[in-house]
Structures are given as structure tokens and as C-alpha cells.
Amino acid sequence: MTAATHEEWLRRAKALEPLRAHLIDGAEEAGGGSTFSAVSPRDGQVLTEVADGGAAEIDAAVAAARRAFDHGPWPRLAPADRGRVLVRLADLLEEHRAELALTVSLEMGKPVRDAHDIELRALIGTFRWYGQLADKLTDESPHTAPDALALVTREPAGVVGAVVPWNFPLTLAGWKVAPALAAGCTVVLKPSENSPLSALLLGRIALEAGLPPGVLNVVNGDGPVAGRALGLHPDVDVLAFTGSTAVGRHFLRYSADSNLKRVWLELGGKSPNIVLPDAPDLEKAAATAAWGIFFNQGEMCTAPSRLLVHSSIAEQVTEAVVARARALRVGDPLDPATEMGALVGESHLERVLGHVRGGGEDGARLRTGGARTLTGTGGVYLEPTVFDRVAPDSRLAREEVFGPVLSVLAFDDLDEAVALANATEYGLAAGLWTSDLSTAHRVSRALRAGTVWVNCYEEGDLTVPFGGMKQSGNGRDKSAHALEKYTELKTTWIQL
């Protein structure tokens, strides 16, 4: 399907019939009857009217998940049997790959090529990986005195509420749903109101794969209503959230005000990307910096939004990034030639433009971009934007923009670079470019970030954990460590 033409994707889009109802206890449910419009940022057109859930729908979904956990077969299946269902789900997601990619592209503006080749590859790989892992976990039997036997077992935690954002609507859903299901939990998934359609399709395909009713439920709705109801629900045992730091604070309060459910947060970032003069390939470093900030329209929590460059090479690297930004093809997400698509919506565009205006007011120099583009399409498009001479204490250097806006800061020595990199409330990711092995190790240890990439960016696979420090959150997605969020440790002491 990656070879499909623009015209073929347009034909598929015209024929697409998105799902609209909640998925509760294995059935499509219209809920109370209220709806909201799913608007495509590529052209401003309404894709469909989606069922709008609130407390009643969340109650129904949580009740279904609770029944499925307390009385259903899923937690009681042999791990190998659960794993086979997840692998079957991965196979079916591959069969529906084009439809899922098209749905993601239409609802949130991502280039369809990226949705197909990157987002769906991640989703399919995640379910397959956890399906294959499900029967390879082990419990513990610590050494004790001869007259006793101790067992430490991992048990599924119960009902999981998963709240995921719109920027990678399927990847981030998979990172939470797959390990929760592998552990034997049941799930209520609340997608962003900006990207409900792909989550509904995922839920339907999961039923086809053999998930029993109630094991995976999908409820659409606004965060302050449906999300709040899920966070406060006394029958939810674990809440996993990816999104803004401000909303993460709300979920912690919801836990305190309800049943003290465990809350796992993957939040914002203001990731530094440090380029030293001894970088093995300055052109590659610049190209990767440009790709990293403009990929997915800059709507990434790990986006390398602060480019920290040694003053001796700052102009050279900045010029290379600016050249790539100016050459980037912004256009219709359904055109395979498009390199940067539409931002998710009008309100988000205005927020990003507010940061652009603030950058100029704070004295930064606009090198390229900074304006809305393709206004005749009815869509939400922004030029790739680069600022240099950014002051370390400015809003542009400290606040998460979540758009295609790069801040370039110069430094004179390594200690200053590390200090600048860590001068943020966030700690999600960081990059470092150097040829010196000792420098790579020392700086990586000094950076307060959950992931540090050396001479690359956004690399890795499912064997390694992902998550943040400081106000970028807690807990980890990906890898076997993700299962720690969805299991409880039980000690059994047997006196012989």
C-alpha cells in the first residue's frame, strides 16, 4: 500500500465509513445519543458524527471490564493462550493496515505514508511483541530457611483505564493496551476527542481477533467529562495516561479523591539535542535535527525542540537545518509526497502561533517559517519554523510548543551544554552528537532524561523502556518493564 498514489488514497477516503459508536462489552453502543463532530484538519471537513460519552458510558464500560476481569475467561487463560490472541490481533491489524493508516491521517493530519509505514508498523509490532512475551514471564522463589517456601507471583492488576492523545493515537494506545492485556487485565480505552475513529476501529478488530466481550472497551468523549469520570471511577485499578503535564496533575488528583488507584503518566517534554564540534557527521546531525522537529508536524513529546550547538559550529549547523526546513514539502496528508501534514486543529494552531509570536517578542531571531500556509485548502497548516539566538530563560526555550518550531541555542563548553540541557522542568528525552566515547558516556549520565540518543534520534525498539523523569512523568511504556504497571506482586509464605 505504500506505493498507492494520491488519487488512490483520495478514492479510499471518499469510500471510508468511519465507526461512530462506543464499543462496550463487545457491542457498539450509541450511549445517551449526544454526538460531536470529527473534523479532518486536512481540509476542515466533518468526517462523521461520533457518539459523545460521559459518566454513564464510562460506568457501563468499567462495569463490563470489571465483569470480564472478575468472572470472565481472559485473566484465567494460560498466558500462552492470551499471547496467541494478541498475535492474531497483530495479524489482523496488518490486514487492515491501509484502512487504519487512512483513518489516522484523516482524523489528525499525519501524512498517510508516515501513518502506514511508521505508526502502523509500531502498533502491529507492539501487539506481536507482547503476544510473544506473554508466556515467557517468570515468578520468583527466594531462598529461605529449610522449613519454609516463599513464592513471589505477579498477578494482573485488574481494570485498566487508558487515556491516550491524538498525536500517535494507535501507537500510544498499543503501548498501553498490549501489555495490559498480556498481563491478564481488562481495559477501558478513552481516545482523544480529536482522534476517536482509529481507536474504535482497533476495538472492532480486537473483537474479531478473539478478545472476549468486556476485555477491551472504547469510549469516546471529552477529557474533562469522560476522562474525569474514568479517573475518578472507584472500580478502575490502574490509570495509564499519555498527554500534557497539566492534565496529568488532574489524574493524580482524581486518584486521591477516589480509590487511590495507581496512576502512570507519560507527559510533556522540551528535549535538548546537543551537537558538539567533534560530531561524526555534522550534515547528518543537522538533517536529523530537522527531521526530528518537523516529523509528525512537531507534535511529539520527544521532539528535539531545543537544538544546542557549540558556538564554533552554530551558524553552519543552523544554516543546514534552515535549508532543510525551507525544502520540506508541506501538503495534503493523503499525498504520499507530503513530508509534513496538517496540525490537529485550529485551536492547536493558534496555540503554536502564540509561541511563535512570543519568540519574536522575547528577542529570538526568526530564520524561516512562522506563518500559516495552504490557507486555501481549508486545512490547518504551518510553515516549518526555526528560531536562533533564543535566550535560555525565554518562553520559547522553556515551554513545550508541540509544533514544528525549533529553538537554537549556542554554548561555549560542555558544562554549559549540560546545564542548558537540564534547565527544564521536563526530562523525557535528549540527543547528543560526539565522536568521543568518554564524552558520550559522561554526558549521557549527566542528562536528566529517560532516554538519551547518541549520534541518532528517535531510535530503538520494544526491548527498551520509554518514559520520563521530573515533570515528564513516571513509569515506563515498552519492554518487559511496562508489565510492572499492570501487575501486582503477591508474596506467599508457606511454613513446611
Side-chain angles (χ1 to χ4, degrees), residues 158-343:
V159 176
V160 174
V163 181
V164 297
W166 45 262
N167 58 326
F168 289 92
L170 290 179
T171 298
L172 297 177
W175 283 5
K176 289 169 172 49
V177 173
L181 294 180
C185 296
T186 58
V187 180
V188 177
L189 172 64
K190 195 209 84 68
S192 166
E193 53 271 29
N194 290 313
S195 57
L197 307 180
S198 55
L200 293 171
L201 185 52
L202 169 63
R204 175 186 280 183
I205 296 169
L207 285 174
E208 186 181 344
L211 278 184
V215 172
L216 176 59
N217 309 272
V218 184
V219 178
N220 315 308
D222 191 33
V225 179
R228 180 176 183 273
L230 191 60
L232 286 168
H233 206 289
D235 266 342
V236 173
D237 301 295
V238 175
L239 194 292
F241 170 72
T242 293
S244 72
T245 301
V247 175
R249 289 191 174 95
H250 285 299
F251 279 110
L252 290 174
R253 295 187 187 104
Y254 298 154
S255 171
D257 290 341
S258 56
N259 60 339
L260 294 177
K261 60 177 66 65
R262 287 188 291 164
V263 176
W264 301 105
L265 304 173
E266 194 267 284
L267 306 174
K270 191 68 178 176
S271 300
N273 187 21
I274 304 170
V275 182
L276 299 178
D278 69 343
D281 186 336
L282 284 179
E283 183 58 36
K284 180 182 178 183
T288 303
W291 172 83
I293 188 60
F294 302 131
F295 171 64
N296 210 56
Q297 302 74 246
E299 296 165 328
M300 291 198 305
C301 50
T302 56
S305 54
R306 291 186 296 148
L307 180 59
L308 310 184
V309 193
H310 192 274
S311 55
S312 66
I313 56 169
E315 185 59 27
Q316 176 187 350
V317 173
T318 304
E319 283 286 355
V321 172
V322 168
R324 288 186 173 272
R326 290 172 176 164
L328 203 67
R329 180 164 179 169
V330 182
D332 182 2
L334 299 188
D335 186 348
T338 290
E339 296 172 288
M340 197 176 91
L343 274 67

Side-chain angles (χ1 to χ4, degrees), residues 133-151:
L133 180 68
D135 64 344
K136 298 173 181 64
L137 304 172
T138 57
D139 294 326
E140 304 170 28
S141 181
H143 286 259
T144 64
D147 62 347
L149 173 66
L151 303 175

Side-chain angles (χ1 to χ4, degrees), residues 84-90 92 203-212:
R84 277 188 281 272
V85 175
L86 297 183
V87 171
R88 190 180 311 130
L89 174 53
L92 288 175
R204 175 186 280 183
I205 296 169
L207 285 174
E208 186 181 344
L211 278 184

Side-chain angles (χ1 to χ4, degrees), residues 68-130:
F69 183 79
D70 289 346
H71 307 294
W74 186 254
R76 294 158 188 84
L77 286 178
D81 293 333
R82 286 201 299 267
R84 277 188 281 272
V85 175
L86 297 183
V87 171
R88 190 180 311 130
L89 174 53
D91 293 338
L92 288 175
L93 291 170
E94 184 66 63
E95 292 180 20
H96 290 272
R97 188 169 184 168
E99 182 183 6
L100 286 159
L102 175 62
T103 303
V104 168
S105 182
L106 287 172
E107 67 183 351
M108 60 75 57
K110 186 193 305 283
V112 72
R113 182 183 61 185
D114 291 346
H116 183 279
D117 294 353
I118 299 175
E119 175 124 15
L120 266 296
R121 180 186 66 199
L123 176 71
I124 294 163
T126 298
F127 277 101
R128 192 176 306 282
W129 198 86
Y130 282 104

